[in-house]
Amino acid sequence: MNRILRRLLRIWKLLVLFLLAGAAFAYAMFQGGFVSWFLFYSFLPFAIYGALLAMYPLKVWKAVRKITKHEYTAMEKMTVELELTRSSVFPLFYLVVEDVFSNSLKEQASGKVLVFPGFKRRIVLSYHIDAVPRGEHLFTEVAVKTGDPLGLMEKELKLALSDQIIVYPVYEELSYKPFMTHYDQGATVSKERVQRDTTMAVGIREYQTGDRFSWINWKASAKRDSFMTKEFEQKQSHDILVVLDCEKSEKFETLVSFTASLIRGIIRKGAQAGLLTVEKERTTFPIRGGEGQRSLLFHHLAKCEDASPLSLANVLDNEMSLLQQQATLLITTTNLTKQLVEKTSYLANKRYQVAVFLVKEANESLTQEERSLKAAASSRGIMVIPVSKGRFKDAFLEVATS
């Protein structure tokens, strides 16, 4: 229907153009004189150009979009280059080129450029997005629009040209430290030293590069005339389930950034991590380790939104029967409530290991109510750890000093 209307509109504009040319000619014929004929001959080139433009096929234009890479980190600068080529040399007064992309990018860039091609067969133009927002963004088409100088004739063409980029959340360097030590935690043996219990020596061995000075067994070293170190009990893998609060929040971007930093820190330490989010739909990732798992979780964090219809306390209530009891639950949120403290306390009583990270913006302090709730949670054995944007590395200072 829209296509038919556009075609009728072009026909109507062409008729108006001919009517104006006819009116100018009739005026010159009946009026005579220099002025009337000057007006007619002055308008005649515009009328001829408009008629030729009406017959000019915009389909001769071809477009190529060049994006340097398809994976970004939020707030990175992005450059997009468009190359338009055609086979004919028909002169064009102007050309409006618009790169059509997701609404999520429109706040950062318009993607619309005005050029004056003239007889050029090849046009190269570019635009920049100074700070690419987190998410999955689609580039769908390139729209080309031209017209005559009087604006009587306009033509538009949409060239299908699909591209997709993924923008991962910003992360900060964070060194993860386990909250508790349990020999029956997880299902596989880990060789990471962060998983090794240094309170229970089960034997001795020769000193190896990287062993701590405090591990040296001085009596055994004196007897054998060489450095000997204690052999410690190897713990099972450290399994962690991260629960991201997807309830509506103005600080959601900071929350996602901290969650990404947390997951990266956990996996880099050799522990295994899973993720649970409840947006409009529930999404869960089983607890695994390795770089592949980190990439999978980051890809989900790039696309997740604060669109959960449930509070975090209700989410935990619904998921309680599905939670792995041997895993540590690390909850990231921007909203500490009484219901959340009660629910995490209930989980702790059921022998779950739970810690809550309360994410704040830079230089934002706890409110009086949050301090009271933090104290109440602490009295029930729940750690509530405030973390601020730009200082995510301090998240485990309390663990290191405890």
Side-chain angles (χ1 to χ4, degrees), residues 294-357:
R294 185 202 66 80
S295 298
L296 184 65
L297 299 186
F298 265 52
H299 191 273
H300 179 69
L301 289 175
K303 299 186 293 181
C304 67
E305 300 176 351
D306 52 341
S308 175
L310 302 174
S311 67
L312 184 55
N314 290 334
V315 169
L316 294 175
D317 191 34
N318 294 340
E319 298 291 329
M320 193 176 302
S321 61
L322 304 175
L323 296 176
Q324 181 179 327
Q325 197 163 19
Q326 291 81 9
T328 299
L329 298 182
L330 300 185
I331 299 169
T332 61
T333 183
T334 61
N335 185 26
L336 185 63
T337 64
K338 182 180 179 181
Q339 292 77 15
L340 179 59
V341 171
E342 291 175 350
K343 187 56 60 180
T344 52
S345 299
Y346 180 80
L347 289 171
N349 291 334
K350 292 291 183 179
R351 301 192 66 182
Y352 285 97
Q353 303 169 36
V354 186
V356 179
F357 292 94

Side-chain angles (χ1 to χ4, degrees), residues 38-94:
F38 176 80
L39 290 175
F40 170 70
Y41 286 118
S42 297
F43 181 74
L44 190 59
F46 294 101
I48 294 173
Y49 180 81
L52 293 175
L53 183 63
M55 295 183 288
Y56 173 71
L58 274 182
K59 291 183 179 179
V60 299
W61 283 99
K62 306 296 180 184
V64 176
R65 183 189 296 111
K66 296 179 182 178
I67 301 176
T68 53
K69 58 181 180 178
H70 290 78
E71 292 185 355
Y72 291 84
T73 301
M75 309 312 291
E76 259 192 274
K77 185 176 181 179
M78 176 183 178
T79 300
V80 180
E81 183 180 287
L82 293 175
E83 181 181 356
L84 289 94
T85 57
R86 60 173 174 168
S87 55
S88 66
V89 291
F90 181 81
L92 293 177
F93 178 66
Y94 71 89

